[in-house]
Amino acid sequence: MSIKKITEINITGKKVLIRSDLNVPIENGIIQSDARILAALPTIELAVQKKAKVIVMSHLGRPKEGYYTKKYSLFPIFKYFQNKFKSTKIHFSNNFLDDVVIKPGEIAILENTRFNTGELNNSEILSKKYSNLCDVFVMDAFGSAHRMQSSTYGIGKFVKIACAGLLLTNEINALKKALKKPKRPMVAIVGGAKVSTKFNVLHKLSKLADTIIVGGGIANTFLAIDYQIGKSLHEPDFILEAKKLRDKYNIIVPIDSRVGKNFCKNEKSIIKSPDNIAEDEEIMDFGDQSIEKIVDILKKSQTIIWNGPVGVFEFPNFRKGTETIAKTIAHCDAFSIAGGGDTLSVIDMFNIKNNISYISTGGGAFLEFIEGKKLPAIEMLEEKFKK
């Protein structure tokens, strides 16, 4: 994989358009987690230090394309940048498709790319307008690298110079380290609600890892192979596929679970074995025996890939499995790489950010890279490098 990097280009005095991933949770104009912004800052800071004319663009949420929606405005992120770069002039532009006027060493934050008609279907007209804003395009949004859209992919066809930012470069290097020649034993934890969306990654990881630990609704689908699991979240249509995987690979499923009758924050948890779950109960976390077994596996591992919580960690009584596993990963000696939106929330909740070897900002991109798929944005950078 050969791509041009921002560190290999003279960007001083040039208009540099950085496609970041600033898709952070915002409620009532207040940023709830700045993890993705902090991950994007090194590239932006480098460009400012080099006295480039720095233009930053990103999407936020899923607004109706072509329409301004205050809820999805990047204005709160502009205010965040004003506070972060106190000695740097920061501009905010919501009408930028013709030009962005900016001086060297300044930053312009552009309004949500998804407000622009044609963004999602990779419009050539929009892609060309983006390219006309800059001398150099920097793709640094790993979390959007799997999307073939105007601001992540289409712009590459028209811009003269396209390169990878520091974040994208680090993401690629970290994932390669985990996937190509991992230190063993290698353990993969795959949680989340739907097994159907993660079968491809489970197949890939099953061939690569020594042990797969499944949690959440994914684990429930595996449990449903042999047990009646009440009203637990699972996917009946994928039980047969789950059985094929379980019979072929070393996949660890819970041997006991925390269950409740109501899906609510204050519901009390009861620990039960999978053969003893009533029709009106649902599995929402691992039980203590399962946690003990998994902790033992993790402590002996040398490489850990972690995607997704193993239970309803938002509810205090169903948090123990996710919390214990997260803290075990954080304090063991293995090279650990974690990715996915809910995983980032868990890392924030338990304040273990500094104890994970590498935290990926990608969700879908993280999974697709693991599956071995070519990410369109990276493919675009490779083609640009060849030319």
Side-chain angles (χ1 to χ4, degrees):
M1 185 186 294
S2 296
I3 57 178
K4 186 79 76 176
K5 302 175 183 65
I6 188 172
T7 50
E8 298 169 341
I9 298 170
N10 178 14
I11 59 173
T12 302
K14 293 179 180 175
K15 270 191 171 182
V16 176
L17 178 59
I18 302 172
R19 176 47 162 104
S20 299
D21 182 5
L22 308 177
N23 184 31
V24 297
I26 297 174
E27 290 182 14
N28 299 319
I30 299 170
I31 295 170
Q32 303 299 303
S33 169
D34 64 353
R36 281 195 171 126
I37 303 176
L38 291 173
L41 284 180
T43 300
I44 297 166
E45 289 169 340
L46 174 67
V48 171
Q49 289 165 12
K50 296 286 185 181
K51 296 296 180 185
K53 300 171 185 176
V54 186
I55 306 168
V56 180
M57 68 176 174
S58 174
H59 78 284
L60 178 66
R62 298 176 183 272
K64 184 177 180 181
E65 189 180 274
Y67 295 89
Y68 170 84
T69 310
K70 186 178 180 181
K71 177 184 176 183
Y72 298 113
S73 173
L74 263 71
F75 191 76
I77 292 169
F78 159 67
K79 300 299 289 183
Y80 178 101
F81 270 72
Q82 279 188 318
N83 187 55
K84 198 78 178 174
F85 293 86
K86 289 191 180 347
S87 59
T88 303
K89 187 166 185 180
I90 314 289
H91 305 262
F92 183 71
S93 180
N94 55 11
N95 186 20
F96 56 84
L97 290 179
D98 292 326
D99 193 17
V100 176
V101 179
I102 187 173
K103 294 177 181 177
E106 296 180 351
I107 300 172
I109 307 294
L110 306 186
E111 187 54 285
N112 195 337
T113 57
R114 290 189 178 172
F115 291 169
N116 299 323
T117 302
E119 167 66 14
L120 298 178
N121 65 4
N122 191 32
S123 158
E124 285 206 354
I125 295 171
L126 183 60
S127 298
K128 195 166 186 177
K129 285 184 177 181
Y130 286 150
S131 73
N132 289 335
L133 298 177
C134 64
D135 303 306
V136 177
F137 172 63
V138 181
M139 178 57 188
D140 206 35
F142 179 76
S144 298
H146 61 310
R147 297 193 175 105
M148 195 177 283
Q149 296 174 357
S150 288
S151 68
T152 60
Y153 177 84
I155 184 175
K157 181 178 179 180
F158 302 101
V159 76
K160 290 180 181 178
I161 301 172
C163 63
L166 301 177
L167 172 62
L168 185 65
T169 303
N170 290 338
E171 292 268 10
I172 293 168
N173 291 340
L175 284 165
K176 278 184 177 178
K177 180 179 178 180
L179 297 173
K180 292 218 166 174
K181 288 186 179 178
K183 288 186 178 181
R184 299 198 179 272
M186 178 184 180
V187 178
I189 301 166
V190 183
K194 291 187 176 182
V195 70
S196 58
T197 61
K198 294 188 178 179
F199 258 119
N200 288 338
V201 76
L202 280 171
H203 275 286
K204 176 75 175 180
L205 286 173
S206 296
K207 295 172 185 175
L208 181 70
D210 300 290
T211 304
I212 304 284
I213 296 163
V214 289
I218 295 171
N220 296 344
T221 301
F222 279 88
L223 285 172
I225 297 168
D226 300 310
Y227 305 103
Q228 297 296 318
I229 56 171
K231 58 179 184 179
S232 302
L233 175 68
H234 71 293
E235 293 179 281
D237 292 345
F238 288 87
I239 291 174
L240 183 59
E241 187 72 16
K243 185 178 187 303
K244 289 177 184 176
L245 270 177
R246 185 202 64 180
D247 292 348
K248 189 173 182 181
Y249 300 108
N250 185 27
I251 295 177
I252 306 296
V253 298
I255 52 178
D256 62 342
S257 304
R258 280 180 165 77
V259 305
K261 293 187 177 183
N262 300 294
F263 190 83
C264 62
K265 188 175 182 179
N266 298 318
E267 179 71 4
K268 289 184 178 179
S269 65
I270 303 169
I271 297 178
K272 285 193 168 186
S273 60
D275 60 353
N276 193 31
I277 295 169
E279 286 185 9
D280 62 345
E281 292 176 330
E282 59 182 312
I283 298 167
M284 290 189 274
D285 191 16
F286 285 174
D288 289 345
Q289 290 182 53
S290 300
I291 293 169
E292 186 178 340
K293 179 180 180 181
I294 290 162
V295 166
D296 186 55
I297 292 169
L298 291 173
K299 284 182 176 178
K300 295 173 183 175
S301 65
Q302 290 296 309
T303 303
I304 299 170
I305 292 180
W306 172 28
N307 176 256
V310 299
V312 188
F313 70 97
E314 299 91 342
F315 298 168
N317 295 329
F318 298 94
R319 183 176 294 164
K320 187 174 180 180
T322 299
E323 180 175 7
T324 306
I325 287 169
K327 289 181 176 178
T328 302
I329 294 169
H331 295 106
C332 69
D333 295 328
F335 173 77
S336 54
I337 182 164
D342 285 339
T343 315
L344 298 182
S345 297
V346 171
I347 289 167
D348 281 346
M349 177 178 281
F350 302 124
N351 196 27
I352 56 173
K353 177 182 174 183
N354 295 331
N355 301 104
I356 305 296
S357 305
Y358 191 82
I359 299 172
S360 174
T361 56
F366 176 79
L367 293 175
E368 288 191 21
F369 194 101
I370 290 172
E371 287 173 36
K373 290 182 179 179
K374 275 276 189 183
L375 304 187
I378 296 174
E379 200 167 16
M380 175 272 291
L381 291 173
E382 288 176 331
E383 287 298 315
K384 209 70 184 174
F385 182 85
K386 288 177 188 176
K387 292 177 181 177

